[in-house]
Amino acid sequence: MLSRIKNKVDPLLDKANAFSFGLRLKHYDDWQPELDEALKSLPEAELLPHELFRALMVMADKAKKKIILVTEKGNPVAIAGLRDRWGYWEPVTQWIVPGVLFPIKAGYLDRVLPALGLRMHIAWWRWQQPPPQDDWVINSVSTPTRGMPLTEDFEAYWRQSSHYRKLRKAQNKCKDFEMKVDPPDGAELIIKEWEARWRPKEVAEMPDLKERILVARFLQERGLHHALLLFNGDEPIAGGTMLIHRKTAVAQCNFRNQEYDRNSPMTHLINLIFIWAKDVGYERIDIGGSFEYKDNWAPEDGQKWEFEVLPRNKLIKANIAHIIAHVKDKL
């Protein structure tokens, strides 16, 4: 009886949660024409045009995705595309496309995220404003990111420490190697090598591998994504992908062949990437954060955040579950 009560209450709580924000939700198992119509009224981000978002949601594993149309008074305000990542929900764009979570009208994010009624993990990077500070935001952590304008003398920054000597040694050790920009299948190679390096041992594949490759191919065709690889003859020995966001070259995935560590190929490649980004004409470079080695390459230049969304209905459900468990113990 208690479980039947819970099964009836849960959907009501979800509906009431969205209604408390003046919004309604409609869930879809697969992409439908109705969603294409809704997209027409939603803004497109430079790195997440509607065509790319649709492709991401079509390819996602049906059992591990959610497509949620959010409306206000019958008008679309967002389409949330979410993925189950090892037991918690996240935007399908997580750590792949910066500055956007999913198609959404300006000014609605603070209402849409908690209205979805899901406990989510959100990565907030390269946004022009800090993340929401509402009571449904928990476990918020910020990390410095590093970068600089490419109009500055980045070698002057490197000369401030022993890093410059290491860089020159790497340059000499790698003098016979060649950097290539966007060789065939270069981005896919880098992403797969990166995925293999960071994948937990107990899983066969990272949940976002296919999405990363899809986004890389889509944006590379539009000049917004590049793969830079260092070759010893025909053998790729180090590589990095760069996303172009608001005239900034943003570092994403990288790999190195550890058999060449004596040559310091990654140090040499990063040096070449700085030079390449400046020569192409990008205004800034962003090498991200989280790893101490990046301190040698650029000063602190921003912040990235990670936080969880804990909506009201989840809190209420947790309390109900606690009460039910308590009653069962008494019985």
Side-chain angles (χ1 to χ4, degrees):
M1 179 179 177
L2 292 173
S3 61
R4 288 200 300 271
I5 292 173
K6 181 178 182 296
N7 291 337
K8 290 182 179 180
V9 169
D10 283 357
L12 292 175
L13 287 175
D14 293 343
K15 188 174 182 179
N17 178 67
F19 186 76
S20 70
F21 293 96
L23 303 172
R24 292 183 179 273
L25 311 180
K26 185 173 182 181
H27 293 251
Y28 296 81
D29 293 329
D30 292 300
W31 195 266
Q32 299 294 330
E34 181 181 355
L35 295 168
D36 286 311
E37 285 300 311
L39 274 180
K40 293 178 182 178
S41 61
L42 299 178
E44 291 184 280
E46 180 188 24
L47 295 180
L48 190 65
H50 294 337
E51 180 184 355
L52 178 55
F53 177 71
R54 183 192 302 108
L56 286 169
M57 298 318 301
V58 167
M59 78 174 297
D61 183 348
K62 182 177 179 179
K64 296 182 178 181
K65 72 177 177 183
K66 286 185 182 292
I67 306 173
I68 307 173
L69 174 62
V70 186
T71 59
E72 180 182 49
K73 298 178 181 179
N75 299 311
V77 298
I79 300 178
L82 307 175
R83 166 181 52 231
D84 182 348
R85 186 181 186 90
W86 298 323
Y88 62 85
W89 293 100
E90 67 179 15
V92 73
T93 58
Q94 189 98 306
W95 295 124
I96 302 176
V97 181
V100 62
L101 304 180
F102 39 73
I104 184 170
K105 285 187 176 180
Y108 278 87
L109 192 62
D110 288 6
R111 293 163 59 195
V112 167
L113 283 180
L116 294 175
L118 300 167
R119 184 154 186 168
M120 292 180 287
H121 183 264
I122 303 294
W124 189 273
W125 60 300
R126 292 196 55 76
W127 286 72
Q128 294 178 303
Q129 68 275 354
Q133 303 297 315
D134 300 271
D135 57 2
W136 46 264
V137 175
I138 64 171
N139 300 329
S140 180
V141 177
S142 65
T143 307
T145 58
R146 295 189 168 267
M148 64 172 65
L150 288 166
T151 52
E152 292 185 7
D153 183 359
F154 38 79
E155 285 198 3
Y157 181 82
W158 302 338
R159 288 193 185 97
Q160 295 175 15
S161 67
S162 60
H163 177 65
Y164 188 70
R165 290 194 299 275
K166 295 176 182 178
L167 191 155
R168 294 305 299 268
K169 288 180 180 179
Q171 190 175 27
N172 290 330
K173 292 177 181 178
C174 296
K175 63 180 184 297
D176 295 326
F177 303 153
E178 178 188 6
M179 187 183 77
K180 298 180 182 180
V181 180
D182 295 331
D185 300 319
E188 184 170 344
L189 168 67
I190 295 169
I191 293 168
K192 286 184 174 179
E193 291 285 348
W194 171 87
E195 184 269 347
R197 168 68 177 83
W198 295 105
R199 177 205 316 149
K201 293 181 179 179
E202 64 274 14
V203 301
E205 182 180 289
M206 294 277 254
D208 58 1
L209 176 60
K210 294 181 177 62
E211 285 87 349
R212 284 186 178 276
I213 293 173
L214 171 66
V215 170
R217 288 173 177 167
F218 184 94
L219 295 180
Q220 186 168 321
E221 292 175 358
R222 291 152 181 81
L224 295 172
H225 187 282
H226 296 285
L228 300 99
L229 288 104
L230 195 65
F231 282 83
N232 178 19
D234 294 328
E235 181 184 12
I237 60 174
T241 61
M242 304 296 291
L243 190 68
I244 311 306
H245 183 227
R246 298 198 299 264
K247 299 180 180 180
T248 297
V250 183
Q252 282 199 298
C253 302
N254 62 62
F255 89 97
R256 74 181 194 279
N257 183 338
Q258 294 182 356
E259 293 181 4
Y260 285 85
D261 277 358
R262 65 187 180 278
N263 299 91
S264 303
M266 184 55 70
T267 298
H268 183 54
L269 178 63
I270 295 173
N271 180 15
L272 295 179
I273 288 175
F274 268 77
I275 296 169
W276 164 82
K278 182 174 183 177
D279 289 346
V280 171
Y282 300 124
E283 294 180 357
R284 305 183 70 87
I285 190 166
D286 179 348
I287 60 173
S290 302
F291 296 93
E292 288 186 7
Y293 79 89
K294 296 180 180 181
D295 299 359
N296 297 319
W297 288 101
E300 186 174 327
D301 194 45
Q303 295 280 327
K304 63 179 180 179
W305 285 266
E306 294 181 64
F307 62 89
E308 290 182 63
V309 173
L310 184 59
R312 299 185 189 108
N313 59 315
K314 288 296 182 185
L315 284 171
I316 297 172
K317 287 180 183 181
N319 291 334
I320 291 174
H322 177 74
I323 292 170
I324 290 174
H326 181 71
V327 171
K328 283 183 177 180
D329 288 342
K330 291 295 183 182
L331 293 175

